[in-house]
Amino acid sequence: MPLDYSKWDNLELSDDSDIEVHPNVDKRSMIKWKQEAIHRERAERKAKIEYINQFIPQQRNVLSKVQQLTGLLNDNPDEVAIQKVVEVLDQQLKEADPAMKVPTSNNEAINVIQVFETIKSQIVTGLEQTSPQQVKQTLLQRFQQTESTVQNAIEKAEQELQKLNQEAAKKMTSENMFKETANKTILNKPKPLPKKTEKKQVVETLNPNATLKDLTTEFSKIRGFEDSYKYLQKHLDIINEKTSDSILGNAFTAQLKGDEAYAKNCVIQSLMIQYAGQLGKDGLNVFFSRMSAPNTQGRKMFFDDVEKTYGRIQSRCVEIMAEESPESNQVETIQLQPVGDGSQLIIRVPGPEDKEAYEVYKSMPVSFQEALATGKLDEMNKVLERLSVPQAEELVKQCSDYGFLDVEGEVIDATQQ
């Protein structure tokens, strides 16, 4: 009998030779980052599964307590029912787990002790202002609403758990590949006949790669979570690994040119796409929901990843520039010096109120912005000598055009000794 080897279809093999990267991206680093991303995705999925496995029993416990209170109200007269509810609340407050949360209709969670104390307080206030009948009716409505909310939370958690388990089972890992006994034989089942497909007319977009490239470049320049979220909602097709790698390549190129601000922003945008793509079908909403909440573990992990990735790019670019530098010790550079008539070179940093000049200033490399802020010519020259002549000339021209430097200085070619 033929054996069924179909389970090995899910075994993911990696051949380093089939990975295409941007020319400026170090291939070994890219392979390492991809491996780290896979391990991070598995760890996040495992943590989610463990959390949901704890969450569902907790919520069933909450549901049981709420149903008990509802039953007391339905089975007893008004005053007796309210008295019994208060007694049960007192007992539940003593036994309640502080870690247990009760979901609300606006997708938040409240400590169960806080919920019970609030109900008791509302009962006391209600009896002072209205009748026991009215208090009982109000409590019934609230318990029914809470019961519905908790039940919905349990159902959603069960669906999410099923989805996560299915994703975990798609790829074979050391955790799931040896669950079957060694002597178990699986027989091939006859494959179903292929279904007859209908022919459909497809309108093909001319040069779709060019459009996607433009969208990728446009997204790499967006700053901030809110604008990025709106853009990705309109262009879901760029949430893929290829786009993420392309933007990371832009980060290398920008860093090599000295544009540190844009390079770091590219890292942020690239990781946004990577995280959103790894969080499943609703990954876009899940990711930005976590980022919108301040001081969360997910937000901290994301920005730690940004700093580590950008740090690796910085280090690699320093190595690349060292490797590509000519053996000659003489390099043509641009340097600033005042004219020899005793006049001074005045350096001015624009403020936000000077909108156009300030935008130009903020678009300059961060190192050059900092040099301008010192007001020292030597600091500016240190930055200029590390740049290519065209880039240095462009910076000096912008300084002159927007009044960052007075005309009392001139640009000359110099040779770094």
Side-chain angles (χ1 to χ4, degrees), residues 11-72:
L11 183 60
E12 186 174 25
L13 301 177
S14 174
D15 180 6
D16 296 348
S17 63
D18 65 357
I19 297 179
E20 297 182 2
V21 298
H22 190 278
N24 289 333
V25 180
D26 182 60
K27 188 171 183 178
R28 285 179 297 178
S29 298
M30 180 61 71
I31 294 171
K32 181 181 178 182
W33 296 343
K34 287 182 180 294
Q35 291 172 341
E36 290 175 352
I38 292 172
H39 289 300
R40 182 173 61 246
E41 179 184 355
R42 289 177 183 170
E44 288 179 355
R45 183 168 56 239
K46 184 177 180 181
K48 283 183 185 178
I49 292 174
E50 291 176 354
Y51 168 77
I52 295 176
N53 280 330
Q54 295 176 356
F55 175 82
I56 292 176
Q58 281 186 347
Q59 295 310 302
R60 285 179 177 157
N61 191 6
V62 171
L63 184 61
S64 174
K65 293 180 184 299
V66 174
Q67 289 172 339
Q68 179 187 4
L69 295 172
T70 303
L72 289 174

Side-chain angles (χ1 to χ4, degrees), residues 77-337:
D78 299 344
E79 294 184 3
V80 176
I82 294 173
Q83 182 61 36
K84 286 183 177 293
V85 166
V86 172
E87 291 173 359
V88 172
L89 286 174
D90 288 335
Q91 184 64 29
Q92 290 181 348
L93 278 170
K94 295 177 183 178
E95 301 172 354
D97 180 2
M100 188 180 296
K101 303 289 184 180
V102 178
T104 64
S105 56
N106 56 355
N107 294 326
E108 296 180 355
I110 306 175
N111 186 288
V112 69
I113 295 177
Q114 181 182 351
V115 172
F116 291 158
E117 289 177 343
T118 301
I119 294 174
K120 282 190 61 178
S121 175
Q122 290 175 346
I123 290 175
V124 173
T125 304
L127 291 174
E128 292 175 352
Q129 299 177 354
T130 61
S131 65
Q133 182 181 7
Q134 183 62 41
V135 172
K136 178 181 178 180
Q137 188 63 31
T138 302
L139 288 173
L140 274 173
Q141 291 176 354
R142 172 161 186 175
F143 291 157
Q144 288 169 356
Q145 181 182 5
T146 303
E147 184 177 338
S148 175
T149 302
V150 174
Q151 185 63 50
N152 288 337
I154 293 173
E155 291 175 358
K156 288 182 180 178
E158 289 174 340
Q159 292 173 1
E160 180 68 12
L161 180 62
Q162 182 182 8
K163 177 182 174 184
L164 290 170
N165 285 328
Q166 288 175 348
E167 289 180 2
K170 284 181 181 178
K171 298 298 179 183
M172 296 184 65
T173 67
S174 59
E175 297 177 355
N176 63 14
M177 68 184 298
F178 296 116
K179 288 185 179 179
E180 297 179 3
T181 58
N183 60 353
K184 184 176 179 180
T185 303
I186 302 175
L187 300 181
N188 278 327
K189 295 181 180 179
K191 296 183 178 180
L193 295 175
K195 295 182 179 179
K196 186 177 181 180
T197 57
E198 297 181 0
K199 293 184 179 180
K200 295 184 179 180
Q201 184 176 3
V202 179
V203 179
E204 185 176 1
T205 305
L206 294 178
N207 200 2
N209 291 334
T211 303
L212 187 61
K213 183 177 180 181
D214 292 339
L215 294 175
T216 301
T217 303
E218 188 175 4
F219 179 72
S220 71
K221 297 177 181 178
I222 297 176
R223 296 178 184 270
F225 286 121
E226 184 175 354
D227 290 341
S228 298
Y229 180 44
K230 293 177 181 177
Y231 190 89
L232 289 176
Q233 283 180 311
K234 297 178 181 177
H235 305 290
L236 295 174
D237 52 329
I238 70 172
I239 303 178
N240 57 67
E241 187 177 348
K242 185 176 180 180
T243 301
S244 176
D245 291 347
S246 176
I247 296 178
L248 205 60
N250 291 347
F252 270 93
T253 302
Q255 185 69 23
L256 287 170
K257 291 181 179 179
D259 193 348
E260 297 176 351
Y262 177 57
K264 189 168 186 178
N265 196 67
C266 283
V267 172
I268 294 173
Q269 302 303 94
S270 173
L271 291 180
M272 276 188 198
I273 291 177
Q274 187 180 122
Y275 274 62
Q278 291 174 352
L279 288 173
K281 185 177 180 181
D282 195 34
L284 181 64
N285 294 325
V286 172
F287 171 74
F288 282 99
S289 175
R290 292 179 180 177
M291 293 302 104
S292 63
N295 303 322
T296 61
Q297 183 65 24
R299 187 181 179 93
K300 180 180 181 301
M301 185 177 72
F302 175 77
F303 281 106
D304 285 347
D305 202 356
V306 169
E307 294 301 326
K308 290 178 183 177
T309 304
Y310 181 60
R312 289 194 290 262
I313 289 176
Q314 284 181 309
S315 301
R316 181 55 186 153
C317 285
V318 170
E319 295 172 1
I320 291 174
M321 288 188 287
E323 293 168 0
E324 294 180 351
S325 61
E327 295 181 358
S328 172
N329 290 328
Q330 293 189 349
V331 180
E332 185 181 7
T333 61
I334 293 295
Q335 297 283 272
L336 289 172
Q337 67 179 37

